[in-house]
Amino acid sequence: LAFCRGRIVRVPKGPLIRVAGTEVAIPCSVSDYDGPSEQNFDWEFSRETDFVRIVSTWDSTFTSEEYQKRVGRGDIKLRRSSNDAVELVIRNIQPADQGRYKCSTPSTDATVQGNYDAEVQVKVISDGLSVSGSKARSSMSLRLSEGDSFKLRCSAITTSPEHTHLHVTWQLKSGSSWRDILSLTHEGKFQPGPGYEERYRSGDIRLDTGANDTYRLSVSQASSADGGAYRCLVSEWVRGADGSWQKIQEKSVEIATVSIQRTDVVISTSNVSVTERDSLDLTCNITTDRSGIFQAEVMWYFSASPDDTLSDAQLLLSMDHDSVVSDSTLISLSHVDRNSYRLLVRDVDVEDSGYYFCEAAIWVPLHNGSWHKVVERTSAPVSVVVTALEPDYDVFLNASKTPKFSDDPTELNCRITNVQDTEANIRFSVSWYYRQHLPGDDAVAEELLASMDADWALLLGDRGRERIQNGEIIFSKKSADTFSLRIQWTSESDRGDYFCVISAWSRHRNNSWVKSKDVTSASVNIFWATQDYTLTVEAVKLKPFFVAGHTFEMTCKVSSKNIKTPRYSVLITAEKPLTDQSRPNGTTRIISLSQDSVVRLEDWTDQTRVDGVVLEKVQENEFRYRMYQTQISDAGLYRCVVTAWSPGGGGMWREAVNGLSNPIQIDFQTSGPVFNVSVHSDSPTIYQGEVADLLCIVTMEGMPLEPDDMSFDVSWFAVRSFALDREPILLASLDRRGIVTQSRRNGSSELSLERISPLEFRLRVHGCEDHDFGNHYCVVTPWVRSATGVWQREPDIKAKPIFLSVKMDVLNAFKYPLLIGIGLATVIGLLSCLIGYCSSRWCCKKEVQETRRERRRLMSMEMD
């Protein structure tokens, strides 16, 4: 089929039945063509046999002479709907236009395939449809009240020779356009218009048919939206040859103009302002032109917001259509006249401030004696402001205690004075505020310290919360008109402006307390003059000359200014030379003495001289430091770090200022030997599992010493990286007494450290693994015995590191896996042979019985 496709020209399936005098549009389209997307069309007409040319989309000379005037006037024209579709439009079609119409398309295809024209038969019938109102030609006017009912009628009949159906629609004019209300379709179905579905289902809108081809629209519960012009729109439909319905003509007639008088509900006053304890008087007026019998139902509502709905508002009082009023003690509802209802609220309170509105419903009697609600309206809310009865009073703030120094107490009293117009149901509470005092005009926001609610419960602010909870700041009520703020120990951060706010609380009808007034006091400034703390520390060396092994002694004298009853804490520090490897960062904390005279060893780690340093207090401002049996390694700069403390709140001490003394130098002039250390290894690259030998060699320059007069502490370290960018790990150490100490190791390698000569120490790593690689070095601490027989410790010496690399032995790594693989393969092969032999010998054995053959020898031909 794909190879047989070609151009297809389509027109509607005929005959097309149309009414004389109406406008006719005959569509024509083309598909499955080649060439440009926009196609051209030619239309021709035939009453019997010959076709007459009407109009073309591409040739202006195509039109025949008898159609030129109608085409020129626009009575016949082509309307293009797309590139491949047009419509032939004939206005005011006449019986003479009945016949066959042919639509053809010029070829733009590479090959001629398909059809290039199509014909349709048009049949023109006379106009037999008539639409009219109920009585007269002109529309009538109806004036109704909201909630009334009304009915409208129109008549529609057709005398068409064809079998046609009528479609009747009632419409309401909304602005400049018509809106569908309810329709009886040509298929006999009722169809409500948009927005009328709910009213149609409830029966408020109906469409009934009557005698003489009349159609009646019934509307119940009319609202203001139902006002306007009504018309009856009737269209005539016929079923086409393809089975679809086609509208052939349409007529309408205006029936009536309906005006609906709206029922309004308003409150007589707008915004109301009343004083507390007075009465609130509001009137709800109902505006309606209804003259018959009716009753009103009124409900009064209260809401805190004007945007609240009825479901969110509070119902105050109601009166039904039988004039039955719901019960209330302080609120009454009365019927003033036919359309007015009065709400009276006695003894109003501040809580009665808000928005009031009334809802009214109109009820009319029915024939059976029951009542029917025809309309319901809600008034606009009225704002009611109830002004509280504020008491009249003043607030005075004074300081009964002011601080002269830090940590002195402060006490402020906030008093209520000149109290007037207060009742028994008024009580007072206080709020305390702090504002930092800044020079100039800089504005600083106040900070809440604490406040009291109506029940005198204390609510803490963010400032000083911890101090208040610890009892350092106390809030109290001394009497009925006096509130107090006390700071037990005032600090410099408490300096500033303080003020209090006295709040008056009124009791309401429900026994709740509501704040009615706030009065702020003048501020009180808390300030005292302060000077900067000064602290001077002087260190003095008592013995100007001494040698190693003697006692070093220094004193620290302290002087301070502007500090109230100070106490001092002292720390002794030492700055060792850069050659000292024990403290590469410089300063060492030795011993300290607190302000409470508690002595503590800081970083003093020499276990042989635990009692070798002493720090004592000579006077209140003088301290003495002694160091017994000094060593050469003790050389450096010694200082006193002093901290001055002043008494704080609650018996605590507060740090005031720090001071540093001048340095005191300890320097030893020695002419002994100079030691050097180096690390050596015959094989720095080894394989896994081998033993690594590292030698730490000490060399000596200058005056030689006997081996018994010198000793060494040796420590081995490793850095597990190619670059020295990680912390060193202590492997093992050997002190001068020959005691070896090994650190805890995570790997499986074992270490051994031994002294192989007076100046050589060997470290062995047994069974090296991958994690044993890295830079290795040793640190040596020489000890030299002086002429007096005292051992002196020399500064630590660090050797240059040597890198130890561990490689993998490929043969040893694969030896055992290869042996295990060959053994397993041999066992599996022998087992397979054994299983095959057993299977063929016993499991697959088959006995074959052969027939016995006679054994006869061949005879020779001569014997035969």
Side-chain angles (χ1 to χ4, degrees):
L1 294 175
F3 294 103
C4 296
R5 290 180 60 188
R7 179 185 293 261
I8 300 176
V9 179
R10 294 184 179 89
V11 293
K13 188 176 181 180
L16 302 180
I17 300 176
R18 297 295 182 265
V19 178
T22 61
E23 182 179 281
V24 177
I26 307 174
C28 178
S29 63
V30 62
S31 62
D32 299 333
Y33 57 87
D34 297 333
S37 59
E38 184 176 290
Q39 294 290 298
N40 291 309
F41 297 85
D42 298 332
W43 281 91
E44 298 176 278
F45 170 71
S46 173
R47 291 187 181 89
E48 296 180 357
T49 56
D50 297 333
F51 281 91
V52 180
R53 293 178 293 178
I54 303 176
V55 68
S56 173
T57 59
W58 61 286
D59 188 2
S60 59
T61 62
F62 180 79
T63 306
S64 63
E65 185 177 355
E66 63 176 293
Y67 283 101
Q68 287 180 357
K69 291 183 179 181
R70 296 179 67 183
V71 173
R73 293 195 306 266
D75 292 341
I76 299 178
K77 61 182 179 179
L78 287 180
R79 184 167 57 204
R80 183 179 289 276
S81 56
S82 64
N83 289 336
D84 55 1
V86 296
E87 289 181 344
L88 175 63
V89 180
I90 304 175
R91 291 193 306 186
N92 193 15
I93 193 170
Q94 298 298 321
D97 296 324
Q98 178 173 302
R100 290 182 295 125
Y101 288 83
K102 180 171 69 173
C103 174
S104 59
T105 59
S107 175
T108 59
D109 304 328
T111 58
V112 178
Q113 289 183 351
N115 66 311
Y116 289 81
D117 56 55
E119 297 180 9
V120 60
Q121 179 72 27
V122 177
K123 183 178 181 181
V124 182
I125 62 176
S126 59
D127 183 7
L129 176 64
S130 62
V131 181
S132 62
S134 57
K135 294 182 179 180
R137 290 180 178 270
S138 60
S139 61
M140 60 180 178
S141 297
L142 297 178
R143 185 176 180 83
L144 305 172
S145 298
E146 197 171 13
D148 289 347
S149 301
F150 64 92
K151 297 180 181 180
L152 302 176
R153 294 179 177 84
C154 79
S155 176
I157 188 171
T158 179
T159 59
S160 174
E162 298 292 330
H163 181 67
T164 59
H165 289 200
L166 298 183
H167 184 120
V168 180
T169 301
W170 281 95
Q171 293 182 323
L172 171 64
K173 192 172 185 179
S174 177
S176 60
S177 60
W178 292 89
R179 185 175 58 176
D180 291 348
I181 301 175
L182 187 58
S183 302
L184 177 59
T185 66
H186 52 276
E187 296 178 332
K189 299 178 181 178
F190 290 100
Q191 182 178 347
Y196 289 91
E197 295 87 350
E198 186 63 30
R199 298 182 67 183
Y200 170 74
R201 286 192 291 267
S202 63
D204 290 341
I205 295 178
R206 301 193 314 274
L207 178 57
D208 302 320
T209 60
N212 300 324
D213 298 316
T214 59
Y215 298 87
R216 182 175 64 248
L217 174 67
S218 300
V219 179
S220 302
Q221 299 289 325
S223 63
S224 57
D226 295 328
Y230 285 78
R231 77 173 181 179
C232 181
L233 179 66
V234 181
S235 57
E236 191 172 7
W237 294 70
V238 65
R239 189 182 292 274
D242 57 353
S244 62
W245 287 97
Q246 301 173 6
K247 183 168 68 173
I248 58 177
Q249 69 169 327
E250 186 177 76
K251 293 182 179 181
S252 64
V253 60
E254 289 196 17
I255 303 300
T257 301
V258 178
S259 61
I260 306 296
Q261 179 65 31
R262 178 182 172 87
T263 300
D264 290 329
V265 177
V266 295
I267 300 178
S268 58
T269 58
S270 54
N271 295 334
V272 181
S273 178
V274 295
T275 307
E276 192 177 9
R277 306 289 183 251
D278 289 346
S279 297
L280 173 64
D281 191 354
L282 300 175
T283 302
C284 181
N285 295 321
I286 304 174
T287 304
T288 180
D289 61 349
R290 189 178 300 275
S291 58
I293 300 174
F294 70 90
Q295 292 289 345
E297 178 186 5
V298 178
M299 288 175 286
W300 280 92
Y301 290 90
F302 169 78
S303 173
S305 172
D307 300 328
D308 287 349
T309 60
L310 288 180
S311 59
D312 298 329
Q314 175 188 355
L315 177 62
L316 298 177
L317 214 57
S318 64
M319 176 186 291
D320 62 10
H321 61 273
D322 294 328
S323 298
V324 178
V325 182
S326 58
D327 187 21
S328 180
T329 304
L330 299 175
I331 307 175
S332 62
L333 178 59
S334 59
H335 193 178
V336 180
D337 56 29
R338 177 179 174 84
N339 295 331
S340 299
Y341 297 84
R342 178 188 179 192
L343 174 71
L344 181 63
V345 182
R346 293 178 292 275
D347 193 18
V348 294
D349 204 343
V350 178
E351 293 181 345
D352 296 325
S353 298
Y355 296 88
Y356 291 76
F357 53 94
C358 67
E359 182 187 46
I362 302 299
W363 294 73
V364 297
L366 299 179
H367 299 292
N368 57 2
S370 62
W371 289 84
H372 175 63
K373 183 166 64 175
V374 295
V375 66
E376 189 174 53
R377 284 288 182 272
T378 303
S379 70
V382 172
S383 175
V384 175
V385 178
V386 179
T387 305
L389 293 174
E390 295 183 353
D392 189 11
Y393 59 94
D394 296 329
V395 179
F396 176 72
L397 177 65
N398 70 311
S400 59
K401 291 183 180 180
T402 56
K404 302 299 181 182
F405 298 96
S406 294
D407 302 321
D408 286 351
T410 301
E411 186 170 350
L412 303 175
N413 294 322
C414 184
R415 292 190 302 163
I416 306 170
T417 61
N418 301 327
V419 180
Q420 298 177 2
D421 299 332
T422 58
E423 302 177 3
N425 53 359
I426 295 292
R427 61 171 52 172
F428 298 98
S429 65
V430 68
S431 299
W432 291 94
Y433 290 89
Y434 165 81
R435 183 169 50 240
Q436 186 178 4
H437 181 70
L438 293 178
D441 299 331
D442 296 337
V444 179
E446 58 269 7
E447 299 179 65
L448 176 65
L449 297 176
S451 64
M452 294 181 181
D453 59 10
D455 298 325
W456 297 314
L458 190 63
L459 306 176
L460 302 183
D462 294 333
R463 178 178 175 84
R465 179 184 295 270
E466 185 176 353
R467 296 176 65 191
I468 296 173
Q469 293 174 348
N470 293 335
E472 299 179 25
I473 302 178
I474 301 174
F475 301 93
S476 61
K477 182 179 181 182
K478 289 187 173 181
S479 61
D481 59 351
T482 304
F483 298 89
S484 173
L485 163 64
R486 179 181 177 86
I487 303 177
Q488 299 285 72
W489 301 281
T490 310
S491 63
E492 294 182 6
S493 61
D494 294 326
R495 294 188 296 184
D497 295 333
Y498 291 81
F499 64 93
C500 62
V501 178
I502 299 296
S503 302
W505 299 78
S506 302
R507 187 197 299 269
H508 284 194
R509 291 193 302 263
N510 58 359
N511 293 325
S512 64
W513 293 91
V514 177
K515 184 186 296 185
S516 58
K517 188 177 182 180
D518 285 334
V519 177
T520 304
S521 71
S523 61
V524 173
N525 181 250
I526 301 299
F527 181 79
W528 65 92
T530 60
Q531 296 180 357
D532 294 337
Y533 297 145
T534 59
L535 183 66
T536 304
V537 184
E538 180 184 4
V540 178
K541 183 166 66 172
L542 299 181
K543 295 180 180 180
F545 303 101
F546 69 97
V547 295
H550 289 186
T551 300
F552 168 73
E553 187 174 358
M554 63 180 282
T555 61
C556 298
K557 294 184 179 181
V558 184
S559 61
S560 61
K561 293 181 180 180
N562 304 324
I563 303 177
K564 181 182 178 182
T565 61
R567 284 192 182 180
Y568 306 103
S569 61
V570 182
L571 172 66
I572 304 300
T573 63
E575 297 179 12
K576 298 299 183 68
L578 297 178
T579 56
D580 188 0
Q581 300 296 329
S582 62
R583 283 286 171 179
N585 295 329
T587 304
T588 302
R589 298 159 54 95
I590 300 177
I591 191 172
S592 64
L593 178 68
S594 69
Q595 69 272 18
D596 296 325
S597 299
V598 178
V599 179
R600 177 183 174 185
L601 287 176
E602 299 292 339
D603 297 333
W604 185 262
T605 58
D606 192 348
Q607 299 298 325
T608 61
R609 294 192 299 160
V610 174
D611 300 328
V613 290
V614 175
L615 178 60
E616 57 185 354
K617 182 176 181 181
V618 180
Q619 298 179 10
E620 286 295 330
N621 61 343
E622 184 177 352
F623 302 87
R624 182 167 54 201
Y625 170 67
R626 286 195 182 102
M627 182 167 56
Y628 301 101
Q629 295 182 359
T630 55
Q631 307 287 339
I632 297 178
S633 60
D634 294 329
L637 297 177
Y638 287 76
R639 299 175 186 267
C640 296
V641 180
V642 179
T643 302
W645 300 79
S646 62
M652 305 297 293
W653 289 94
R654 180 171 56 87
E655 182 178 340
V657 67
N658 295 318
L660 184 65
S661 72
N662 55 298
I664 300 298
Q665 185 175 12
I666 298 179
D667 190 12
F668 298 98
Q669 299 294 331
T670 60
S671 58
V674 177
F675 297 95
N676 296 315
V677 180
S678 61
V679 177
H680 174 72
S681 177
D682 293 335
S683 55
T685 300
I686 60 176
Y687 291 97
Q688 290 182 354
E690 294 182 353
V691 178
D693 287 343
L694 301 176
L695 295 179
C696 182
I697 303 173
V698 181
T699 59
M700 186 170 50
E701 299 177 1
M703 182 181 68
L705 294 176
E706 294 295 330
D708 294 338
D709 294 334
M710 57 182 178
S711 183
F712 303 96
D713 291 339
V714 181
S715 299
W716 281 92
F717 295 89
V719 180
R720 305 300 187 190
S721 65
F722 294 96
L724 298 175
D725 55 353
R726 294 185 182 180
E727 289 293 330
I729 301 172
L730 176 63
L731 300 179
S733 62
L734 175 66
D735 63 6
R736 58 195 179 102
R737 298 179 181 86
I739 300 175
V740 177
T741 303
Q742 293 188 7
S743 64
R744 186 175 181 181
R745 295 170 55 79
N746 296 326
S748 60
S749 302
E750 296 294 336
L751 298 174
S752 62
L753 179 57
E754 57 183 341
R755 178 177 179 179
I756 58 177
S757 69
L759 298 178
E760 291 184 356
F761 302 87
R762 180 171 60 192
L763 173 69
R764 283 186 173 181
V765 183
H766 303 274
C768 289
E769 299 294 340
D770 293 338
H771 56 265
D772 292 320
F773 85 102
N775 290 282
H776 293 67
Y777 64 91
C778 64
V779 176
V780 177
T781 304
W783 291 80
V784 179
R785 184 161 52 187
S786 63
T788 59
V790 179
W791 287 94
Q792 295 291 331
R793 178 179 176 178
E794 300 287 336
D796 295 343
I797 306 171
K798 178 182 175 182
K800 184 178 180 180
I802 185 173
F803 189 80
L804 178 65
S805 60
V806 181
K807 295 184 178 181
M808 183 179 67
D809 190 350
V810 179
L811 180 60
N812 290 332
F814 288 98
K815 178 172 63 177
Y816 292 106
L818 287 174
L819 293 176
I820 293 173
I822 294 173
L824 290 176
T826 303
V827 172
I828 292 172
L830 293 175
L831 184 60
S832 300
C833 294
L834 180 61
I835 293 173
Y837 174 77
C838 295
S839 299
S840 61
R841 186 75 175 86
W842 289 286
C843 299
C844 301
K845 183 178 181 181
K846 184 177 180 182
E847 296 182 359
V848 180
Q849 295 184 1
E850 299 180 357
T851 56
R852 186 174 181 181
R853 299 180 181 178
E854 295 182 357
R855 295 184 178 182
R856 296 181 180 180
R857 295 183 179 180
L858 293 178
M859 299 175 61
S860 61
M861 294 182 63
E862 289 83 0
M863 293 181 65
D864 188 32

